[in-house]
Amino acid sequence: SVQVGSAVLSRSWAKPIKPDQRQSDLKLLQCHIDPLESLMRVVQMNWMAIVIGPRASGKTSLVQTMAELTGHSLQVLAMNSNLDTSELLGGFEQVDTKRLWSDLVSDVRDIVTTITDCSVREGKFKYILPVLEEWQQISQSGEDGEKLTSTMRTVRALLRKLKQFGFKMDQLMEVERRMSELSCKISDGVLNQGKFRWIDSVLVKSIQQGDWLLIDNVNFCSPSVLDRLNSVMEPSGELVINERGCIDGVVTSIKPHPEFRLILAMDPKHGEISRAMRNRGVEIYMSAEEGHEKSEFSLKQMLQSQGFFGHLSCDHLIKLHNAVSVKLPGQFGLHELLRVASLSRQQIERGAGSQVALTNSCYNVYCHSQRNNNTKLVVKEILAAYLQ
């Protein structure tokens, strides 16, 4: 289990975090302890969380940190004003062999990851090498022609080997079934007839598979589109997908997986979400930078996560940033500070000296971004005073 304050969440071992979902540069800051505790309590109660805060307050990072600490798979869906129902729920697309195969290989990868993780924790190391050898052949194979046929034989061999080792999972049977269907379609030439099939969206897949879903910038989306999710957040609720049509005379409806959690994130200055959606969630506010300055220790942690090391260098950069922010309030925030650190690291890696790299980065971020000549002169005077 993972405990923050008085909130406790059990760690999930069933679905290990995929390598592309790991956020190695995330830092648990002291100023985020209280919001993280509140968020964990909301997730524990199976309620919808609405994380509200200004730009650069750490909304997305907070959710990503919680997901990684508890071992849950987190999907992120970024909203925009042009998003419609087909992007939120899914739509019909032309059947593509490569897409079907890539989805199948992705499921096999999840099975291999789960089994490898379980074998390590249970000390069954003799199973790991044979499974990984088979998976290496699959991951390096092609997607069409003879290579696809040979790769499918390798996948079948891997599934048989897993069964021999005593692993019994519903996913294995599902992959075998889809493998048989794909083989029949390829042999019959059905995939080249210009047919269409329904493709589920990230939201629908998360609801079915039990992943956590973060909808970022949720207030960018039209309320009429977003309110389609209201039924999911009801007790014993379900998602009705009328756009898919009737299957055997029945409209498709999906009941959420017990592990599914929905988290919304928004900046209130860009608008609000509907009252119906807001009433179904618990709001967690992330403090703004103004009046709630992050501690110097937290700022140093974030600078070091960008590869900017050395206490004296960090102190100097923080003082410079504070001086510019006080002189030009509202124009420079945490994003600019971290950008200076990142640019400095990149220039040092290319062979520049530390002082030259810091000077160039500060001028690029603070000075060259200004359009007004008078403001540029003010920034140049501050930089000249601190970068002598």
Side-chain angles (χ1 to χ4, degrees), residues 200 204 207-208 232 237-241 244 252-256:
D200 289 325
V204 174
I207 293 176
Q208 292 175 324
V232 181
E238 58 184 23
L239 178 65
V240 180
I241 307 178
R244 190 172 182 177
T252 303
S253 61
I254 302 173
K255 283 192 170 294

Side-chain angles (χ1 to χ4, degrees), residues 94-342:
Q94 191 169 359
V95 175
D96 183 12
T97 308
K98 291 184 178 180
R99 182 163 192 164
L100 293 173
W101 177 245
S102 62
D103 291 344
L104 194 61
V105 171
S106 177
D107 290 342
V108 174
R109 179 189 61 190
D110 292 343
I111 293 174
V112 171
T113 304
T114 302
I115 289 176
T116 304
D117 183 78
C118 293
S119 300
V120 170
R121 287 188 286 108
E122 296 174 4
K124 299 178 181 179
F125 300 105
K126 63 179 181 180
Y127 299 140
I128 297 177
L129 186 58
V131 171
L132 292 181
E133 287 176 348
E134 297 282 358
W135 168 246
Q136 186 176 14
Q137 296 182 27
I138 297 171
S139 60
Q140 295 176 351
S141 62
E143 294 182 340
D144 46 41
E146 298 180 357
K147 289 185 177 181
L148 179 58
T149 305
S150 62
T151 306
M152 293 178 72
R153 288 196 294 266
T154 307
V155 173
R156 288 196 178 94
L158 174 60
L159 298 178
R160 285 195 299 269
K161 189 167 294 185
L162 294 176
K163 286 185 176 180
Q164 292 174 1
F165 290 157
F167 296 106
K168 296 181 179 179
M169 303 168 59
D170 295 337
Q171 289 176 286
L172 290 177
M173 299 180 63
E174 176 65 18
V175 169
E176 285 184 328
R177 182 188 65 78
R178 289 168 55 190
M179 182 83 66
S180 301
E181 289 182 358
L182 184 58
S183 299
C184 294
K185 290 179 179 179
I186 292 176
S187 59
D188 297 340
V190 175
L191 297 178
N192 299 322
Q193 296 179 1
K195 292 189 175 182
F196 288 80
R197 65 188 290 263
W198 177 268
I199 303 296
D200 289 325
S201 65
V202 175
L203 167 68
V204 174
K205 289 180 180 178
S206 300
I207 293 176
Q208 292 175 324
Q209 299 172 2
D211 293 340
W212 289 2
L213 177 66
L214 169 63
I215 302 182
D216 208 358
N217 297 321
V218 67
N219 48 345
F220 286 4
C221 181
S222 171
S224 60
V225 175
L226 192 64
D227 283 347
R228 291 293 302 272
L229 303 180
N230 288 342
S231 59
V232 181
M233 307 317 301
E234 296 288 345
S236 303
E238 58 184 23
L239 178 65
V240 180
I241 307 178
N242 299 315
E243 291 79 3
R244 190 172 182 177
C246 296
I247 301 177
D248 298 329
V250 180
V251 177
T252 303
S253 61
I254 302 173
K255 283 192 170 294
H257 190 281
E259 294 295 324
F260 171 71
R261 297 293 186 273
L262 179 62
I263 304 170
L264 311 181
M266 56 180 281
D267 184 347
K269 80 174 184 179
H270 296 303
E272 301 290 342
I273 57 178
S274 67
R275 180 59 58 183
M277 175 64 73
R278 203 161 190 167
N279 289 341
R280 287 171 168 81
V282 177
E283 297 182 12
I284 300 171
Y285 186 74
M286 301 285 292
S287 299
E289 292 179 3
E290 294 80 16
H292 299 277
E293 292 291 342
K294 291 180 172 60
S295 67
E296 187 174 328
F297 179 75
S298 298
L299 290 176
K300 287 182 179 179
Q301 274 189 298
M302 288 184 282
L303 290 176
Q304 290 171 2
S305 70
Q306 300 295 322
F308 195 84
F309 298 101
H311 289 291
L312 293 178
S313 300
C314 290
D315 290 338
H316 191 64
L317 179 56
I318 291 172
K319 290 178 181 178
L320 185 152
H321 176 77
N322 290 337
V324 177
S325 301
V326 170
K327 197 70 176 180
L328 300 172
Q331 294 197 33
F332 302 109
L334 183 60
H335 278 172
E336 286 71 26
L337 176 63
L338 297 181
R339 194 176 302 143
V340 171
S342 179

